[in-house]
Amino acid sequence: MYKSGIIALLMCLVLASPSFGQLCGNANDDTTVNILDWIYQFEYLRGNAMDPPINLENADCDGITGVTIGDAAWFSNFYFGGGPPLNCDDTGSYPYPQSWEDTVFMPRMLGIPEGVTTVIMPVVTVFMEDVEGVYLPFIHYGAGSNSVFEWGGATYSTDFSVLMADDLTPDTSLLMGIDLNGTTHFPGRHEYFNLTYYRDGFGTGDIVPQFVNRPGLWQIAIVKGGRLFRPVVEYYDTQLPDTLFASPTSKVVEAPLGQIPAGTFTVHFSSSGDPINFDLTPTESFIVIDSPFTVGFTTPTDIVFVVYADTLPAGTYQGYVDIVDVTPGTVLDADQIAITLVLTEGVTYPPGDLNCDGEVNITDITVLVAYMFLGGAPLQDCQ
């Protein structure tokens, strides 16, 4: 789900890029060093197996032992930006010193009320100018989460050039990015990724994603000057934006021909925060707003709709009521009410048909006697 953007970009680069006759950097172990080796580095960092297998000795090209996001950043800088040559004479290890001037803010949301079906929370980065890449593994449900919402995936800002958001396991994901020849905008404050969750149960929801240190070299890291550092990690509470809710968001009205009106129903409009102003626009003439006002609604409120179909033949009709002119900044849980109208040929009941079966016979007398003398059920509409 998250690979299409980078794969398309990388395939274009494959066709346009030159090759180099050297071994260092030749991660896929063919005869040249090219963009395919960079892809191999990324696939390895994502935990994917390649065929042929990655040559870790050649992929380890930043002068420090071990293949990490630092090698991918070094390769990018060399291959696309004319940076320092690849260096496979690796020595030492990554110390991951703390960078106190670079911070990643991971969101959480607690007490999500009933009615909220989708939650989108931004991962915010505040980086200095020398940050070249990020590697941020996290679990979808950290301590304090409950099972009301399920993981829906991650999306990233179009400001960034080469980014990945992968589901590593059912409960873990990886946010990863590389500066591609200075075109990525890491410095400053950015809503780097958006995490999406969908309601999967009833009750109040708590969503607490959490960064984790994976084994070995696959740890939380940022790349600065070809070296890996640990950013400051902070967690922050994000609040639901003012959200407009409608209930129900769909209605089926069934009626025989000639019934006027065909049906009436009520929709309740509410909001998660301050009162929200909105208007309603029916898309079909058979849908009529039957409230004291037909414009200028404010939550909370109940709106009555009447469905008229006296001019329509038998059949099924689909209409909508669009929710429009909403207070700016409001999130819509649903932007319209769907109304399905089903009209059927009417049934003619002859006089004396008290059990509504279309015939007059002895059973109708039984219904009448039971109703008048034996405390039987009330007569039906057709009677």
Side-chain angles (χ1 to χ4, degrees):
M1 177 166 61
Y2 309 110
K3 300 177 183 178
S4 58
I6 184 170
I7 293 300
L9 172 63
L10 294 183
M11 291 309 297
C12 291
L13 294 172
V14 168
L15 299 176
S17 301
S19 61
F20 299 82
Q22 64 184 46
L23 181 63
C24 183
N26 186 21
N28 67 346
D29 222 9
D30 59 8
T31 59
T32 60
V33 173
N34 57 30
I35 187 64
L36 294 176
D37 301 297
W38 197 48
I39 296 175
Y40 254 59
Q41 290 177 326
F42 274 117
E43 293 300 318
Y44 173 76
L45 295 172
R46 293 158 71 176
N48 294 333
M50 288 78 73
D51 186 19
I54 187 172
N55 184 319
L56 292 177
E57 182 178 353
N58 292 344
D60 190 4
C61 61
D62 65 351
I64 302 177
T65 302
V67 178
T68 66
I69 190 69
D71 295 285
W74 194 284
F75 192 107
S76 171
N77 191 23
F78 161 74
Y79 196 78
F80 301 110
L86 305 179
N87 178 11
C88 290
D89 297 326
D90 298 312
T91 59
S93 59
Y94 295 96
Y96 292 98
Q98 183 77 54
S99 176
W100 296 105
E101 58 188 6
D102 300 290
T103 305
V104 181
F105 295 90
M106 176 62 92
R108 69 177 184 180
M109 188 177 293
L110 305 176
I112 305 165
E114 284 278 10
V116 179
T117 59
T118 303
V119 172
I120 300 175
M121 304 186 297
V123 177
V124 179
T125 59
V126 181
F127 290 152
M128 301 300 287
E129 293 185 357
D130 52 353
V131 173
E132 306 168 74
V134 298
Y135 192 86
L136 304 172
F138 71 99
I139 56 175
H140 306 155
Y141 314 103
S145 297
N146 60 23
S147 59
V148 174
F149 283 81
E150 66 176 355
W151 169 245
T155 57
Y156 54 84
S157 167
T158 55
D159 286 345
F160 301 97
S161 301
V162 180
L163 291 169
M164 296 180 183
D166 287 300
D167 292 339
L168 300 175
T169 71
D171 193 37
T172 64
S173 288
L174 169 64
L175 307 178
M176 180 165 57
I178 288 292
D179 181 6
L180 181 58
N181 194 22
T183 59
T184 305
H185 307 290
F186 283 110
R189 181 191 183 280
H190 294 279
E191 292 188 359
Y192 189 65
F193 278 92
N194 287 312
L195 310 183
T196 301
Y197 292 81
Y198 298 108
R199 179 171 288 275
D200 191 41
F202 298 101
T204 300
D206 297 315
I207 304 174
V208 187
Q210 183 177 345
F211 287 122
V212 294
N213 279 322
R214 298 167 63 203
L217 298 174
W218 296 9
Q219 302 180 35
I220 299 169
I222 57 174
V223 185
K224 301 176 65 172
R227 296 295 180 261
L228 299 187
F229 294 80
R230 292 183 60 82
V232 175
V233 173
E234 298 283 354
Y235 295 88
Y236 76 98
D237 289 314
T238 181
Q239 303 297 319
L240 280 172
D242 288 344
T243 304
L244 176 64
F245 302 103
S247 180
T249 56
S250 63
K251 184 69 176 179
V252 177
V253 176
E254 299 182 69
L257 288 176
Q259 178 174 306
I260 303 175
T264 300
F265 64 95
T266 301
V267 177
H268 178 67
F269 293 88
S270 60
S271 54
S272 63
D274 294 331
I276 293 173
N277 299 319
F278 65 98
D279 284 320
L280 299 170
T281 301
T283 64
E284 305 295 333
S285 59
F286 62 78
I287 305 170
V288 177
I289 299 174
D290 187 34
S291 292
F293 303 99
T294 57
V295 294
F297 304 107
T298 301
T299 60
T301 187
D302 292 316
I303 307 298
V304 177
F305 297 92
V306 180
V307 177
Y308 290 99
D310 50 311
T311 62
L312 297 175
T316 300
Y317 302 87
Q318 186 65 56
Y320 301 90
V321 176
D322 291 331
I323 303 173
V324 298
D325 297 332
V326 183
T327 300
T330 297
V331 174
L332 297 180
D333 193 57
D335 59 4
Q336 59 184 197
I337 312 299
I339 301 169
T340 303
L341 171 62
V342 181
L343 293 179
T344 58
E345 295 287 352
V347 178
T348 301
Y349 300 101
D353 182 12
L354 300 184
N355 64 350
C356 301
D357 65 356
E359 299 179 359
V360 178
N361 50 39
I362 190 65
T363 58
D364 299 298
I365 298 176
T366 303
V367 172
L368 180 61
V369 170
Y371 170 68
M372 296 184 65
F373 303 109
L374 302 178
L379 300 182
Q380 302 178 45
D381 290 341
C382 75
Q383 301 154 344

